[in-house]
Amino acid sequence: MNQGPATSILVLVGSLRRASTARQLTQVAIDQAPNHVRMLRFDRLGELPLYNEDIDNEDTAQPVAAFRAAAAHDEARKSLGIAGLRIVESIRLSVPTRMLEGKHPAEDADLVRTLRGIVEDLAAEVSA
């Protein structure tokens, strides 16, 4: 079944810790994304400076340029707005991270299915 053109989703992880549960969950979501969904995790949030309009010009720092390039696609820009509170709340209500008991999220089949469903819902909304 042809799903149409690929939908791009920019993924931002709020935790900068390499082994954070949030990072593990996003990796599972990326791995479980349907074939018609391209998820790009931007891993350089910790390098971004605080925004200062006074110095926002063509001579921006490389991490800023990289972030702008990652968000340059229409689908990515749209998903930045959509993946706000509704998606975060979906994940918070659906993903019992305290129940992982030291296991990697990918080891929990129910959690993997839940994340796949969340990604499919987001992709459907982004591509609408």
Side-chain angles (χ1 to χ4, degrees):
M1 171 170 70
N2 185 354
Q3 297 283 335
T7 298
S8 297
I9 298 174
L10 180 61
V11 179
L12 305 175
V13 179
S15 175
L16 301 179
R17 193 169 58 86
R18 229 174 311 169
S20 74
T21 301
R23 186 169 302 283
Q24 292 174 5
L25 289 169
T26 59
Q27 189 57 53
V28 172
I30 290 167
D31 293 344
Q32 293 299 313
N35 291 336
H36 68 283
V37 177
R38 181 182 151 265
M39 297 181 74
L40 169 68
R41 183 175 60 220
F42 184 77
D43 283 324
R44 298 181 69 184
L45 280 181
E47 299 174 45
L48 294 176
L50 295 175
Y51 181 70
N52 180 349
E53 189 174 10
D54 293 336
I55 60 171
D56 188 2
N57 54 41
E58 301 83 38
D59 191 28
T60 59
Q62 206 288 320
V64 174
F67 178 71
R68 288 179 175 166
H73 303 289
D74 289 338
E75 294 90 353
R77 277 199 304 276
K78 192 173 175 187
S79 69
L80 285 173
I82 292 172
L85 293 177
R86 187 186 58 76
I87 294 298
V88 169
E89 190 67 9
S90 247
I91 293 170
R92 190 182 70 74
L93 293 174
S94 305
V95 179
T97 55
R98 67 183 174 282
M99 308 276 297
L100 289 174
E101 299 173 350
K103 295 185 296 186
H104 190 282
E107 297 173 35
D108 186 314
D110 289 336
L111 179 59
V112 169
R113 276 192 297 280
T114 298
L115 287 171
R116 183 175 177 85
I118 290 168
V119 170
E120 288 172 348
D121 290 348
L122 177 60
E125 195 165 326
V126 169
S127 60

